[in-house]
Amino acid sequence: MKKWLAATFILAAAGILIGMGVIPAVAQGEGGKAQIPHTIGYQGYLTNSGGIPVEDPVNMIFTLYTELSGGTPVWSEVHSGVDPDNGLFSLSLGGSGSPIYSADLDGDRYLGVKVGADSEMTPRQKLASVAYALRAEVANSAFALDAPDGNPTNAIYVDSDGKVGIGTGTPTSTLEIGPVGPTIIKASAPALEGTYDTQGNPCGVHVSGKYACVADYNSGLQIIDISDPSSPTLEGTYDTSGSAHGVCVSGKYAYVADEGSGLQIIDISDPSSLTLEGTCNTSGSAWGIYVSGKYAYVADYNSGLQIIDISDPSSPTLEGTYNTPVNALGVYVSGKYACVADYTSGLEIIDISGIDTPAISTGNISTGDLTVTENADIGNNLYVGNGVNVGAGGIKSDGRVSITDVLSLEPRAAAPSNPSKGDIYVGTDGHVHFYNGSAWYSLDMTAD
């Protein structure tokens, strides 16, 4: 005899008795992940009008309603040839071609049963939750997923307002990440923010501060203000003598790989008025450029890697070369190695440790004495407790420069050559001189 679960309820209709109990079903998918079944286990006890258990197969129709009587069915299913065993039968509602979905059980539901040619039994039976099935009600207001080993709890949590917490069970914003260590969020839906149609054909770009410096092929160097990325504007241009392929910015200079014209060093301290500072004619065609310390590394089509000393930007000199197998198109320097993209021969890694490359790149520095022989690229704040000595490259600032103590300028007999707008110096006559972009002016000084 089939196993029977007791403690069911009994319905009587047209001389036929049926005992019914709704039993929850549980299924496991691959990897142990719970899968939601669309069936409900159902067992009953069927007798005829004389109380004798039914043994012959019968057809049964099961229907779900929203009302105790009348109303429109929300789900219905026919089970043909239900074969009782001494009156006992077992089947799966939803397992005979009409799956039961969550929407079918949203709210009060009443089950109607029809056996053979008889009318549907009355009254319909209101469905009730099995004890642990009540726990599923939490899914209507929140969802929590712990880590596989239970630590942390609430590894992922979604509340009834749609707030998502990762590592926290009490998210206070649309997405809140708890103290679970470093977080990396990958952009899955990049979107265009803005464009600027340059005069030529852009081949290279380097961003410094609020400016994008574009190597624009036959149109030379283009300086574009990107402080508002949605509406970039042209700030300045410089028509190089060759074709600009690559650009790298360091300090107040843009170093341009200018094809047949080699390396072009352009002063960008005033982006609206660019000036040529110096040039170095490479032996081939300059395509790629990278600046580190006091050297510019040029990927020189047909002539490999060209290393140029730029410690004096007005007079750069060739320091060394390495002839790659094919055609050097791009270069990047990391530590003591120059990595060259050499067209069909692939990546060429060149040891440049024999060349002095003193440079520093850091987030924060606080020190009494700091000696940097060439360029220092500092991402955040620099505090120097003693003194700062600035060489020929000068100081470039995109914002204000604040001097809280005495500013000491060494007197000089004559104005510096190739001045930029805003340059200032103290003459041997004791006067302070200021360059407004077109002429030098002496400032009116009065005694303290």
Side-chain angles (χ1 to χ4, degrees):
M1 180 181 294
K2 297 179 182 178
K3 183 178 179 182
W4 170 240
L5 297 184
T8 62
F9 52 84
I10 297 175
L11 293 176
I16 298 177
L17 298 179
I18 195 165
M20 297 186 294
V22 177
I23 302 172
V26 177
Q28 289 290 324
E30 294 181 1
K33 295 181 179 178
Q35 305 295 318
I36 302 301
H38 295 285
T39 61
I40 298 176
Y42 181 90
Q43 290 182 329
Y45 180 65
L46 191 63
T47 66
N48 62 21
S49 59
I52 299 174
V54 175
E55 293 283 352
D56 298 326
V58 294
N59 296 331
M60 302 181 71
I61 301 176
F62 298 86
T63 306
L64 285 176
Y65 302 87
T66 59
E67 306 292 339
L68 179 61
S69 61
T72 303
V74 296
W75 172 89
S76 185
E77 184 174 65
V78 176
H79 284 258
S80 301
V82 178
D83 191 9
D85 183 356
N86 197 27
L88 294 174
F89 66 92
S90 177
L91 50 82
S92 293
L93 300 181
S96 186
S98 299
I100 298 176
Y101 295 98
S102 60
D104 298 327
L105 301 174
D106 187 10
D108 291 340
R109 291 295 183 263
Y110 299 86
L111 179 64
V113 179
K114 183 177 184 300
V115 179
D118 290 347
S119 300
E120 186 178 270
M121 295 183 183
T122 57
R124 298 168 184 165
Q125 180 60 42
K126 184 176 181 180
L127 296 185
S129 299
V130 178
Y132 277 100
L134 289 171
R135 183 68 177 89
E137 186 180 4
V138 178
N140 290 329
S141 58
F143 167 79
L145 176 64
D146 294 346
D149 61 357
N151 185 22
T153 58
N154 296 326
I156 300 177
Y157 184 89
V158 184
D159 70 10
S160 57
D161 295 327
K163 297 185 179 69
V164 179
I166 300 178
T168 175
T170 56
T172 58
S173 58
T174 303
L175 173 63
E176 181 174 340
I177 300 174
V180 293
T183 300
I184 298 175
I185 298 177
K186 296 182 178 179
S188 59
L192 182 66
E193 181 69 17
T195 63
Y196 184 86
D197 187 8
T198 59
Q199 300 172 21
N201 300 309
C203 296
V205 62
H206 190 115
V207 175
S208 177
K210 69 175 184 177
Y211 297 110
C213 301
V214 179
D216 203 35
Y217 199 58
N218 288 333
S219 294
L221 180 65
Q222 309 277 301
I223 308 294
I224 300 170
D225 187 333
I226 58 172
S227 54
D228 180 0
S230 64
S231 182
T233 58
L234 183 66
E235 182 72 17
T237 66
Y238 185 85
D239 188 9
T240 57
S241 53
S243 297
H245 273 279
V247 58
C248 186
V249 176
S250 180
K252 70 173 187 175
Y253 298 113
Y255 298 81
V256 178
D258 200 39
E259 201 174 298
S261 296
L263 175 64
Q264 308 277 299
I265 304 175
I266 301 171
D267 188 332
I268 59 172
S269 55
D270 181 357
S272 64
S273 180
L274 308 181
T275 58
L276 183 67
E277 181 72 16
T279 66
C280 182
N281 190 25
T282 57
S283 54
S285 296
W287 281 58
I289 179 77
Y290 189 91
V291 174
S292 179
K294 68 176 184 178
Y295 296 108
Y297 299 82
V298 178
D300 200 43
Y301 195 89
N302 293 329
S303 296
L305 178 65
Q306 309 276 299
I307 303 173
I308 300 171
D309 187 332
I310 54 172
S311 55
D312 180 359
S314 64
S315 182
T317 57
L318 184 65
E319 180 76 14
T321 64
Y322 182 87
N323 193 19
T324 56
V326 188
N327 298 312
L329 298 180
V331 58
Y332 190 94
V333 174
S334 179
K336 69 171 188 174
Y337 297 107
C339 299
V340 178
D342 197 44
Y343 202 40
T344 58
S345 72
L347 178 66
E348 301 284 315
I349 303 174
I350 302 168
D351 189 335
I352 57 173
S353 57
I355 297 173
D356 181 21
T357 56
I360 184 172
S361 178
T362 185
N364 288 278
I365 272 191
S366 178
T367 182
D369 292 282
L370 173 66
T371 300
V372 180
T373 58
E374 296 303 333
N375 293 333
D377 181 10
I378 298 171
N380 203 331
N381 299 323
L382 173 67
Y383 169 73
V384 181
N386 197 337
V388 175
N389 296 316
V390 180
I395 294 177
K396 177 180 180 295
S397 173
D398 289 330
R400 298 178 60 187
V401 176
S402 176
I403 308 294
T404 59
D405 204 334
V406 176
L407 174 63
S408 177
L409 299 176
E410 183 178 351
R412 55 188 301 160
S417 60
N418 299 321
S420 298
K421 183 178 180 180
D423 282 357
I424 187 171
Y425 80 95
V426 176
T428 54
D429 57 1
H431 292 157
V432 177
H433 303 273
F434 172 77
Y435 188 68
N436 72 347
S438 60
W440 285 99
Y441 288 86
S442 295
L443 302 182
D444 183 17
M445 308 295 292
T446 58
D448 289 338

